[in-house]
Amino acid sequence: MIIDTHAHYDNERFKADRHELLKALPENGVEKIINIGCDLKTSKASVKLAEKYDYVFATVGVHPHYVKGLADEIVKELTAMCENKKVVGFGEIGLDFFHNHSPQGTQRMWFKRLLKLTAELNLPAIIHSRDANDDVFEMISASTVRRGVVHAFSGDAALATAYVEMGFHIGIGGVVTFKKTDILKEAVAAVPLDKILLETDCPYLSPEPHRGTRNESPNISHIAKVVAEIKNETPENICNQTAQNAQQLFGI
């Protein structure tokens, strides 16, 4: 059983064969996927895909890249979308101090507000954190959000353990298969298996041996293989347990 907990099948890179890929997922071993919203447009697209396919679920949210254009009217529209039963999480939300497409002060302001909204909606949070691990952790700690996933986790074992103790899951994707990622592998080793989720972030971050190509959900098998080596488990057990984790967190 494979559940891809972070995908972007609404992305333009899937324009030519999006529905062929999605229709073929079950026969390729992928039982469910969660398509992630990054702004109003992609959130709407995610919900539309979830309504079309029984095994696709959606989140809505605003990625830190796009909060510079965020307004209360958009937040109200996103909030209303959460009434849809196929919407199972809020995000991705967070901070990105690598690209800084939105000013850092604006990112912090909206992250605080969106965390509050996530708690009010009682939905799991999908957290984006890039070059901002300390700030993200401090802001979540100051909020009442205690359920969700730190997507594409990039911290060390201590940070991963602190998130788990707070109630969060850790999202592991293709980066764990790359060379020179010992710190991430140590974090995976430290996290209990029942707190790990597998994700592709497709079309981005393809694992080895497909690095540099368009990522797709079946590639989770390569991620599971590396996690299995770290955890001294079989890939099948990794897939099954992480799928159960996703089902419990997102209620799918």
Side-chain angles (χ1 to χ4, degrees):
M1 185 191 302
I2 289 175
I3 295 181
D4 184 355
T5 60
H6 198 110
H8 298 282
Y9 280 105
D10 57 285
N11 188 277
E12 281 295 306
R13 290 178 67 182
F14 293 112
K15 184 175 181 179
D17 57 353
R18 177 180 296 115
H19 293 290
E20 288 81 358
L21 278 171
L22 288 169
K23 288 175 184 176
L25 287 180
E27 64 190 59
N28 287 319
V30 180
E31 183 167 313
K32 296 180 176 73
I33 68 163
I34 299 175
N35 207 76
I36 307 296
C38 291
D39 57 11
L40 183 59
K41 179 181 178 181
T42 57
S43 294
K44 287 180 176 179
S46 294
V47 172
K48 189 174 181 179
L49 287 175
E51 290 175 335
K52 184 175 179 64
Y53 299 97
D54 290 342
Y55 45 87
V56 176
F57 298 84
T59 74
V60 303
V62 184
H63 190 289
H65 285 352
Y66 309 116
V67 293
K68 64 183 177 183
L70 193 51
D72 289 340
E73 293 76 14
I74 296 174
V75 174
K76 289 179 182 178
E77 195 165 351
L78 291 169
T79 302
M81 291 165 64
C82 293
E83 296 177 8
N84 190 309
K85 292 182 179 180
K86 294 301 292 287
V87 174
V88 297
F90 197 84
E92 45 190 299
I93 59 175
L95 302 175
D96 191 313
F97 294 166
F98 178 79
H99 290 290
N100 286 310
H101 290 325
S102 295
Q104 291 187 8
T106 303
Q107 290 188 47
R108 287 191 178 93
M109 183 271 287
W110 276 112
F111 187 34
K112 182 178 181 179
R113 289 186 61 179
L114 294 175
L115 280 169
K116 185 175 184 291
L117 177 59
T118 304
E120 292 170 354
L121 292 168
N122 193 29
L123 286 171
I126 292 80
I127 302 297
H128 177 99
S129 176
R130 188 166 187 190
D131 281 15
N133 280 335
D134 290 344
D135 296 78
V136 169
F137 184 81
E138 288 172 7
M139 291 187 69
I140 294 174
S141 298
S143 78
T144 59
V145 176
R146 293 297 181 266
R147 192 164 61 106
V149 54
V150 185
H151 151 64
F153 183 78
S154 61
D156 59 16
L159 182 61
T161 300
Y163 270 120
V164 168
E165 291 174 350
M166 195 188 294
F168 278 79
H169 288 67
I170 304 298
I172 302 299
V175 174
V176 79
T177 69
F178 300 170
K179 295 178 181 178
K180 300 181 181 179
T181 53
D182 291 343
I183 292 175
L184 178 57
K185 290 181 172 69
E186 290 168 3
V188 172
V191 174
L193 185 51
D194 65 356
K195 284 294 185 177
I196 292 177
L197 299 180
L198 300 185
E199 57 176 55
T200 58
D201 200 20
C202 66
Y204 314 109
L205 296 177
S206 290
E208 297 289 0
H210 301 296
R211 189 173 182 180
T213 66
R214 185 183 72 175
N215 204 2
E216 300 170 9
S217 295
N219 284 338
I220 276 188
S221 61
H222 300 290
I223 301 166
K225 182 179 179 181
V226 173
V227 173
E229 291 170 355
I230 296 169
K231 290 294 196 182
N232 195 27
E233 290 274 359
T234 66
E236 291 77 15
N237 284 346
I238 295 298
C239 287
N240 288 336
Q241 180 61 58
T242 55
Q244 289 179 31
N245 301 343
Q247 289 174 322
Q248 292 170 0
L249 177 62
F250 295 108
I252 58 177

